[in-house]
Amino acid sequence: MTTPPRARAAVGRAVFAALALPAAVGCSGVQTVLDPMGVQAERIARISWVLFVGGSAIFALVMALAGLAVFAPPRWRGWMASRRFAFLGGVALPAATLLALLVWTLGISNALVANTDPRPLRVEIVARQYWWEIRYPDAGPDAVTANELRLPVGREVELTLLSGDVIHSVWIPNLHGKMDMIPGRANVQRLRADRPGVLRGQCTEFCGQQHALMAFWVVSEGPAEFEAWLVRQKAPVPPPADPVAERGMRVFGEAGCGACHAVRGTEWDARIAPDLSRVGSRLSLAAGALPNNRAALAGWIAGAQDIKPGNNMPSYGQALPGEDLLAVSAWLEGLR
């Protein structure tokens, strides 16, 4: 009696699901391949679990055979000295196992780059020393943010990966594998978040002094929430809400911050440094180096080179009085 194809497929899915239960064994987290949140990451996690389980089983078998060879009586282990055993255990079995793994992983690799949606959401990510510029070209030139990637749940996203200076590499372990970002070349990666959550991405190619402090947050949310965020992201910033914020906006201009930063709805439209139009709504500052609050904003403005030496932003601690620092941070915190 043969098993119907549909039943075999169901059994296969059940087996692979059993191999991908990281959350049940304490492997969940915002930056781990063992807690997949999308179909691409699930395929990569499946490979990982097969290798973990298979490698452990082979290690246990080898240790058992080694123990048998050392401690068992000679009459129990004479067969281990035969040529047949050496060929089967040392050549045939490893070759067959590695060949099967190669064929299987090549199939998964092809699936990872397959285009399943003819009209994906297009996102451009530009890596710079040491921050991330993120653009949504389908929404227009004003849909630009920094150090935070927003994704709609359930929709395929096409990431165009670029570099503005040296070689970088982007990695969002819960959603996909690593991919290099090379100056003068555009690499493309497709991924999909299948449930809402907050994840962490990282640069994984040494790119300079602050490579370790070059991270970003990924927020996957419902389509309606994403569209609302995108509309708000493109809109001009509101006017200052109080005299302190008004003073902060004035100091921002007088200190020359607008020569590097853009703030939509104002005269400042530079593209050298991160876009600050909605900086108050982001989860972190300085590419994941600091939490986002008024005190951290003031500290970053005052001592950017102390917090993240080698980045391109100067420290303004000596140039701005404390009242001005607090006013600028209050205004920036209100840009949501």
Side-chain angles (χ1 to χ4, degrees), residues 4-336:
R6 186 172 298 177
R8 289 200 302 270
V11 171
R13 287 194 296 270
V15 171
F16 288 134
L19 291 171
L21 294 175
V25 294
C27 296
S28 60
V30 298
Q31 190 175 8
T32 171
V33 297
L34 302 180
D35 185 15
M37 288 183 61
V39 61
Q40 291 85 5
E42 285 177 358
R43 293 182 175 122
I44 295 172
R46 187 181 303 167
I47 295 175
S48 301
W49 283 109
V50 167
L51 294 179
F52 293 157
V53 175
S56 299
I58 292 172
F59 176 79
L61 175 62
V62 171
M63 291 299 100
L65 290 174
L68 184 65
V70 173
F71 299 109
R75 66 179 182 278
W76 290 5
R77 51 186 166 89
W79 55 274
M80 298 177 68
S82 66
R83 291 184 177 179
R84 175 179 294 180
F85 176 78
F87 174 77
L88 292 176
V91 179
L93 179 60
T97 301
L98 293 174
L99 180 61
L101 284 173
L102 175 63
V103 173
W104 181 59
T105 53
L106 285 177
I108 291 182
S109 298
N110 289 334
L112 287 176
V113 298
N115 297 335
T116 60
D117 187 343
R119 298 187 63 185
L121 173 67
R122 295 189 302 141
V123 181
E124 295 177 355
I125 302 180
V126 185
R128 306 183 188 277
Q129 294 174 307
Y130 301 93
W131 61 283
W132 309 85
E133 181 180 3
I134 300 172
R135 309 168 183 157
Y136 293 81
D138 293 336
D142 289 335
V144 180
T145 185
N147 301 321
E148 191 168 299
L149 174 63
R150 295 266 180 157
L151 303 174
V153 170
R155 183 176 177 185
E156 187 163 303
V157 177
E158 181 180 273
L159 301 180
T160 301
L161 306 176
L162 309 163
S163 172
D165 36 54
V166 300
I167 296 177
H168 301 270
S169 181
V170 67
W171 189 30
I172 311 170
N174 302 71
L175 292 179
H176 213 303
K178 304 175 186 178
M179 182 166 283
D180 284 347
M181 309 168 85
I182 302 170
R185 175 172 178 172
N187 286 336
V188 176
Q189 185 179 71
R190 288 206 174 198
L191 53 81
R192 189 184 75 211
D194 289 335
R195 67 177 192 266
V198 178
L199 308 173
R200 190 174 185 272
Q202 181 72 43
C203 179
T204 55
E205 181 76 27
F206 181 75
C207 57
Q209 185 178 358
Q210 292 301 325
H211 159 70
L213 292 180
M214 187 173 169
F216 63 98
W217 290 100
V218 182
V219 180
S220 59
E221 54 193 358
E225 291 85 352
F226 172 77
E227 290 298 330
W229 171 84
L230 197 57
V231 169
R232 188 170 63 254
Q233 189 66 36
K234 296 186 296 179
V237 301
D242 54 57
V244 175
E246 187 175 355
R247 176 181 178 179
M249 182 176 177
R250 184 176 66 253
V251 171
F252 183 91
E254 292 172 352
C257 304
C260 296
H261 296 281
V263 182
R264 269 182 297 283
T266 71
E267 61 186 288
W268 304 305
D269 193 31
R271 301 294 178 182
I272 299 173
D275 187 299
L276 299 181
S277 301
R278 302 291 171 180
V279 64
S281 65
R282 296 172 193 163
L283 298 177
S284 69
L285 300 172
L290 295 172
N292 191 359
N293 54 56
R294 189 174 301 188
L297 275 164
W300 173 250
I301 296 167
Q305 290 303 315
D306 298 317
I307 296 170
K308 202 168 178 178
N311 83 93
N312 290 327
M313 179 171 168
S315 297
Y316 283 86
Q318 300 298 320
L320 296 178
E323 295 81 0
D324 286 348
L325 279 172
L326 293 176
V328 173
S329 62
W331 177 61
L332 292 174
E333 186 189 36
L335 300 181
R336 298 178 179 271

